[in-house]
Amino acid sequence: MSRTPAHRSRVVVIGAGIVGASLADELTARGWTEVTVLEQGPLPAPGGSTSHAPGLVFRTGPSKTMTEFAAYTVEKFGSLDVDGQPCFHAVGGLEVATTEARWADLHRKAGLAASWGVHGALLTPQRCKELWPMLDETRLYGGFHTPDDGLARAVLACRAQIARAESRGARFLERHTVTGIEQADGRVTGVVTDRGTFPADHVVSAAGFWGPVIGAMAGVDVPLLPLAHQYATTEPLPELARVDEARTNEGRTEESLPILRFQDRDLYFREHLDAAGIRLGIGSYAHRPMPVDPFTVPAYDDAPTMPSSLPFTPDDFAPSWQDSVGLLPALADSRVAEGFNGVFSFTPDGMPVLGESRELRGFWLAEAVWVTHSAGVARAVAEWMTDGRPATDLHECDLYRFEDAQRSPAYIADRGAQSFVEVYDVIHPLQPVEQPRPLRTSPFYPRQQELGAYFLEGGGWERPHWYEANAPLAEGLELPARDDWSARYWSPIAAAEAKATRERVALYDMTPLRRLEVTGPGALAFLQRMTSNNLAKKPGAVTYTLLLDEAGGIRSDLTVARLAPDRFQVGANSGSDLDWLLRHAPGGGSSRSGEAGSGGVQVRDITSGTCCIGVWGPLARDLVQPLTRDDFSHRAFGYFRARHTHLGHVPVTAMRLSYVGELGWELYTTADLGLRLWDTLWAAGQEHGVIAAGRSAFNSLRLEKGYRAWGHDMTTEHNPYEAGVGFAVRPDKGDFVGRDALAGLSEDTVPRRLSCLTLDDPSAVVLGKEPVHVDGAPAGYVTSAAYGYTLGRGIAYAWLPAAVSVPGTAVHIEYFGEKIPATVAHEPLFDPQMERIRR
C-alpha cells in the first residue's frame, strides 16, 4: 500500500472534540506535523459530545481491545494537566450489585479485569459503604472496586493535547463548517468549508454524532445512530459535604468519591464540585431510546445551549430518580436542580467505527468513540496511518466488519437503539440481539425449522445451535450439571449431536462462512503474495493458509481451493478479509461488495449466492458415494482435495475438509439448489442414522481437535508460531506479506503460546475470557472453551507464557471467583494421528 511520506502528508481532521484533539496529538508526536483540525464550533468546547461528557472512565469489559483503549486513556490523561489542573482524577470506580444475578456478573467482571491486567477487588456491602457513605448497604450483595479508574476532564484534556499538537506544528481552526469532501481518482484531495478549502492527503472524520453527515459528503457509510442520554445534577447535598469534610479542610478541590454504577437500574453517579457546594451528577440509561437525526442537529449558534445538549425531559427521568433515592436515601430530601439530554453515538454492536475507506482512499473514520476510549483509539488510528498497522487488534472496530445487510438505516436504527438499552445489561457471550430477525437465512432454513432448530445469530445470519428433533438422542446421556450461566444458550442435545457426529454422520450448515472467488491470469501470483502457505499446486488442491500483516500478525486464516489454473475459492472469516484482498489487488477494488478487477485479478464475494453443507462422521462416505458416479474413496479423493461433481441432480464443489475431526466433505452449490442438496443428502442418510447438528456441537468437536478460531484464539496481535499455526508458513516459497517480520522466529523461541488446557474436574465448565492463574497470580487468559463430550471433560485454550505452556503444568482458571484446577495438555486431544480424517 503506497503511502505519502510523513514529511509531505497533509492531514485534515474533522472535529476538535476529544477524539480529534487526541489524534492530532498522537499524529504530531509521530512526526506528521502538517495536521489541520477543523471545528464548526468554538474551541475548546465546541458543542459536541465532548463538551457535556461526564468523563467516566471504567476500563473493564468483555473486549480486551476496548479495555486497552481505556487503559491508555487513563495513562495518558493522568499525565496531562492545564495550569496545574489535572486532566484525570483516579477516584476509582465502584459497581454495586442489588441482585444475585448482578453479584454473579461482578464476579465475572473481576475475572475479566484479571485477564486484561486491571487491578480490582470484590467488596462486601460494608466496605462499599465505607467508600460511598450515602449507600444503603442493606440493599447490596456487594461491589466491584477498581481503584485506578476515575474521571476524565474531557475539555481540559482537549486543551492540553491541542497545546501539545500546536507546539509541533498542528493548527486548530474553529468556526469552520465542513460543506464538502473533494476527491479525484478514488482518493480524497481536500475538505471544503464555509471559509475555504483545505488540501489533504488524509482526511479523518472524528465528528462524533455528525459522522454520518461527513460520511455522506464523502460517499462513505458511517453506521452509527446518535441517541440522547439523560444526565441530571442535584442541589448541593449536605451529606456529601459531611462526607468530604476532610477534603474540604485540606483545601482540596477535586472529587474524591469513586464513580458509582448502579447497573441494576441503569444508573451511574459522580460528584460535582463548584462554588455552590458539592452536588451529585446522575446519568441514566433507563429511559426510552431517544434517537436524533444528525442531519437536523442545529449549528452551535442556533442551539439553545449547545448542539449536543437537548432539553431535559423530567417524565423520562422520574423512575430513575426514585431508583436513585432507593439506593442513596439521603437524596429523598433533595431534588434535581438541572438536567439535559446529551447526544452521543451508538453503533449496531456498540463498538467504534475505525479505519480507512476503501471506496475513497485517504478518508478515515474515528467515530462512535466515547471519552473512556478516546486516547486509546487515537493512538491506534495514528499508528494505523503512520505505520500501516495498529499495535492493538482492531477487528472488532473495523469499518468493514459490518455486512451490507447490516448497513441499512433501518438496521442501524434498530440495533443502535438496542445497544443503548443494553449498555448496563448483563449480556451473555452467546446472547443474540432479537431484532431484526430473521434477516439472513440459508437455503436450508425451512428444513431446519421443521427439525426444531434453536437459532442464534451472527453477522445477520440465523445459525442453528442444536435441533430439538435430536432430543431423544440426549436421553440417558450422563452429563455434568451446569450452572445457570453456562446453561444459557446450551442444551444437552449438543452432546447427542457431537456423539452422533463421532459415531455416524451429521449435516452442518456452513453457509454463513464467507466465500470469495479469486480469478484471472494473475490470481495465483496475487494469492501467493497475500498468504503465507504455498498455493502453487495443481488444480484440485486445498490449502490452509494465513493472511498476515506486515508485522507478521495474523489478520485471518483461510482455506484456499484451486479449482482451475486461474480460479480459486477462498474460505474467509469476515468482510475485513475481503477488504484486505480488494485493497491489495492489482488496480485496487473500489466496490464494497465486490470486484477488484484489473491487472489480471478479480476478487468477488460469492457468499450470498452460494451455500455449504458439512457432511461429517465415520459414515460420511457411505452417505455421499451412492449419490455420485465419481470415486470418493480415500485413494481417489484425498484429504485437502477438491473437485466438481454431482450429487443426485445437484452440481456441487466438494472439498475434503473437516473442522470437527471426522471423515467428510464440505459441499458447495448455488443458493437456488441448496434446498435440493439438503433434501438429497437427508434422504440418502436415513439408512445411516443421519442427523442435523448445530454450532454448539461443532465448537466442542473443533476444540477436541485443537482447531483455532480466528478472532477468538488468534488475531493480529499474535504471530503464527505463537498461535501454533506455524505449519501454514512457507518462507521458502518466495516473498509474501509478513514474511520478513517472521524471519528468525520459531515455535521454540516465542515468549508465549496458545496452550491447550483440560479441566481436572470432569464436571467443570468455563466459557472463555477467564483469567488463568499460575502460582496464585494471573498469567494469561482463556480464548475459547467448551465441554469435550468425546473426552468427558472441559477444554480451554489460553494464552500463556512459554515457560508455563508445558504439558503437565498445573494452572487454575478463575470462573465466577472460583479457582478451577486445570492442566496444560498435549494437543490435539482427539485423534492425534489424524486416522479418522484420513480414512
Side-chain angles (χ1 to χ4, degrees):
M1 235 183 299
S2 63
R3 295 183 179 277
T4 305
H7 67 280
R8 292 174 47 205
S9 292
R10 298 166 300 177
V11 181
V12 174
V13 179
I14 301 172
I18 193 64
V19 179
S22 297
L23 180 58
D25 183 43
E26 295 288 339
L27 285 171
T28 56
R30 288 165 173 79
W32 281 30
T33 56
E34 291 190 43
V35 176
T36 300
V37 183
L38 303 175
E39 175 52 59
Q40 63 181 341
L43 293 174
S49 301
T50 299
S51 302
H52 67 66
L56 282 66
V57 179
F58 280 88
R59 292 167 295 166
T60 305
S63 168
K64 177 174 177 287
T65 294
M66 297 297 275
T67 297
E68 290 179 357
F69 285 164
Y72 183 67
T73 299
V74 168
E75 175 189 338
K76 183 177 185 180
F77 291 1
S79 70
L80 298 176
D81 70 84
V82 176
D83 299 328
Q85 298 183 72
C87 296
F88 181 80
H89 291 306
V91 298
L94 178 63
E95 301 175 53
V96 295
T98 59
T99 63
E100 289 186 10
R102 182 67 63 179
W103 184 226
D105 189 59
L106 292 186
H107 281 77
R108 184 175 71 100
K109 185 164 285 187
L112 289 170
S115 290
W116 312 146
V118 176
H119 177 51
L122 294 165
L123 305 182
T124 65
Q126 293 72 29
R127 179 62 182 136
C128 292
K129 187 172 180 64
E130 290 175 12
L131 291 174
W132 249 90
M134 287 176 62
L135 280 168
D136 178 3
E137 80 278 15
T138 64
R139 295 195 58 190
L140 305 184
Y141 284 82
F144 177 55
H145 181 225
T146 46
D148 301 322
D149 290 340
L151 293 168
R153 293 184 171 178
V155 174
L156 210 61
C158 283
R159 288 178 58 191
Q161 293 178 104
I162 288 171
R164 296 206 312 188
E166 287 180 332
S167 72
R168 303 184 190 112
R171 57 176 178 166
F172 286 74
L173 303 178
E174 63 181 4
R175 299 290 189 173
H176 281 64
T177 299
V178 174
T179 59
I181 305 295
E182 291 189 333
Q183 52 188 286
D185 300 323
R187 286 204 61 91
V188 70
T189 60
V191 177
V192 182
T193 76
D194 58 350
R195 299 175 67 176
T197 298
F198 297 83
D201 302 300
H202 300 272
V203 173
V204 185
S205 177
F209 60 79
W210 284 286
V213 179
I214 302 301
M217 296 178 191
V220 175
D221 290 338
V222 181
L224 68 80
L225 176 71
L227 287 136
H229 156 63
Q230 290 200 297
Y231 191 78
T233 51
T234 68
E235 298 175 321
L237 292 170
E239 291 77 8
L240 283 178
R242 287 192 291 271
V243 167
D244 292 337
E245 185 175 355
R247 175 184 62 197
T248 304
N249 290 338
E250 294 173 10
R252 289 184 289 154
T253 58
E254 72 274 11
E255 299 84 353
S256 65
L257 286 179
I259 308 163
L260 178 64
R261 289 207 285 187
F262 180 23
Q263 292 170 300
D264 287 322
R265 290 294 183 270
D266 298 309
L267 292 166
Y268 63 82
F269 307 86
R270 59 151 293 184
E271 280 185 287
H272 285 279
L273 277 69
D274 56 32
I278 306 172
R279 299 173 295 137
L280 198 62
I282 306 172
S284 173
Y285 295 98
H287 54 80
R288 61 190 169 89
M290 303 176 186
V292 175
D293 183 352
F295 291 88
T296 63
V297 175
Y300 187 93
D301 293 327
D302 297 329
T305 305
M306 55 183 169
S308 63
S309 181
L310 304 181
F312 190 60
T313 49
D315 289 346
D316 290 308
F317 193 74
S320 291
W321 177 257
Q322 294 305 315
D323 289 332
S324 299
V325 171
L327 183 69
L328 307 170
L331 290 179
D333 297 325
S334 184
R335 66 179 183 86
V336 172
E338 57 185 2
F340 64 94
N341 293 354
V343 182
F344 60 138
S345 304
F346 287 82
T347 60
D349 59 5
M351 301 291 283
V353 179
L354 310 178
E356 183 187 17
S357 167
R358 186 179 68 254
E359 294 79 21
L360 180 59
R361 301 296 182 91
F363 184 80
W364 295 77
L365 296 180
E367 296 291 6
V369 182
W370 296 3
V371 171
T372 301
H373 311 106
S374 55
V377 164
R379 178 176 67 173
V381 173
E383 291 170 341
W384 205 345
M385 295 176 69
T386 60
D387 301 333
R389 73 182 294 271
T392 301
D393 171 63
L394 298 185
H395 81 272
E396 295 175 310
C397 310
D398 191 274
L399 168 62
Y400 291 93
R401 72 187 184 271
F402 294 114
E403 306 285 344
D404 285 348
Q406 296 173 302
R407 289 178 171 272
S408 70
Y411 186 97
I412 293 167
D414 287 346
R415 292 291 175 99
Q418 191 63 29
S419 293
F420 176 90
V421 170
E422 293 178 345
V423 164
Y424 279 173
D425 286 0
V426 177
I427 303 296
H428 192 278
L430 293 176
Q431 182 174 329
V433 180
E434 293 304 322
Q435 295 297 331
R437 289 181 63 192
L439 182 62
R440 307 177 78 187
T441 59
S442 80
F444 323 129
Y445 186 66
R447 299 295 182 262
Q448 293 166 343
Q449 289 180 301
E450 292 168 6
L451 293 170
Y454 184 88
F455 293 99
L456 297 181
E457 186 258 14
W461 288 99
E462 295 297 316
R463 300 186 176 195
H465 273 243
W466 65 83
Y467 294 84
E468 289 297 329
N470 297 324
L473 301 178
E475 296 175 3
L477 293 181
E478 294 185 6
L479 299 172
R482 291 208 169 203
D483 63 280
D484 289 344
W485 187 251
S486 64
R488 292 189 195 180
Y489 307 105
W490 174 84
S491 169
I493 296 172
E497 293 177 359
K499 186 172 186 290
T501 305
R502 291 276 187 244
E503 295 178 353
R504 300 192 306 276
V505 62
L507 307 184
Y508 288 83
D509 182 1
M510 306 301 289
T511 301
L513 301 184
R514 185 174 291 270
R515 292 170 293 286
L516 312 177
E517 183 180 73
V518 182
T519 57
L524 175 61
F526 170 64
L527 289 173
Q528 285 283 75
R529 165 67 181 157
M530 295 306 301
T531 70
S532 64
N533 212 334
N534 190 5
L535 307 182
K537 302 172 183 177
K538 294 180 180 179
V542 182
T543 306
Y544 177 82
T545 188
L546 306 172
L547 283 182
L548 304 178
D549 62 21
E550 294 287 356
I554 304 172
R555 285 192 56 93
S556 189
D557 61 344
L558 312 174
T559 53
V560 179
R562 191 174 193 183
L563 301 180
D566 295 341
R567 183 162 67 92
F568 296 80
Q569 182 171 311
V570 179
N573 284 296
S574 72
S576 297
D577 297 346
L578 173 63
D579 175 56
W580 182 254
L581 293 176
L582 288 174
R583 287 177 187 275
H584 287 81
S590 61
S591 164
R592 171 173 296 119
S593 57
E595 299 191 19
S598 64
V601 178
Q602 292 79 42
V603 181
R604 188 165 67 98
D605 188 342
I606 61 172
T607 307
S608 60
T610 56
C611 58
C612 178
I613 299 175
V615 182
W616 291 311
L619 302 182
R621 184 176 287 115
D622 297 323
L623 189 160
V624 175
Q625 183 62 80
L627 298 173
T628 179
R629 295 180 180 181
D630 290 320
D631 187 352
F632 270 53
S633 69
H634 180 62
R635 180 181 295 274
F637 196 160
Y639 192 53
F640 269 88
R641 299 294 298 172
R643 66 168 50 164
H644 183 76
T645 186
H646 288 80
L647 297 182
H649 296 90
V650 182
V652 300
T653 298
M655 297 186 194
R656 180 121 180 248
L657 306 174
S658 175
Y659 206 52
V660 300
E662 295 292 339
L663 170 69
W665 290 265
E666 292 180 358
L667 304 173
Y668 298 88
T669 192
T670 52
D672 59 321
L673 291 169
L675 196 58
R676 184 60 177 262
L677 176 61
W678 179 282
D679 289 344
T680 299
L681 294 169
W682 188 257
Q686 291 309 300
E687 63 179 291
H688 304 295
V690 71
I691 66 162
R695 299 283 301 181
S696 187
F698 179 89
N699 195 50
S700 171
L701 296 169
R702 70 102 179 166
L703 283 176
E704 290 181 336
K705 280 297 294 180
Y707 293 145
R708 278 58 170 151
W710 184 85
H712 296 277
D713 301 316
M714 55 192 186
T715 69
T716 55
E717 296 180 7
H718 311 107
N719 70 54
Y721 302 109
E722 295 173 321
V725 290
F727 62 87
V729 179
R730 293 288 185 270
D732 57 351
K733 75 165 184 172
D735 191 29
F736 58 87
V737 176
R739 178 177 182 265
D740 292 345
L742 299 180
L745 298 180
S746 71
E747 293 181 2
D748 296 329
T749 61
V750 295
R752 60 181 176 176
R753 294 193 186 99
L754 184 64
S755 308
C756 177
L757 311 178
T758 56
L759 280 57
D760 296 353
D761 181 354
S763 66
V765 175
V766 299
L767 297 183
K769 300 189 178 180
E770 297 88 357
V772 180
H773 295 260
V774 178
D775 296 330
Y781 61 92
V782 174
T783 57
S784 295
Y787 193 82
Y789 300 113
T790 312
L791 304 174
R793 66 180 59 247
I795 305 167
Y797 272 76
W799 282 101
L800 293 174
V804 175
S805 182
V806 178
T809 302
V811 300
H812 288 83
I813 302 174
E814 183 180 340
Y815 181 73
F816 285 88
E818 179 185 357
K819 302 290 177 51
I820 298 176
T823 303
V824 180
H826 288 281
E827 59 169 331
L829 298 169
F830 179 79
D831 189 26
Q833 303 303 317
M834 302 285 283
E835 295 172 350
R836 297 176 70 90
I837 292 177
R838 302 178 189 274
R839 61 168 75 180

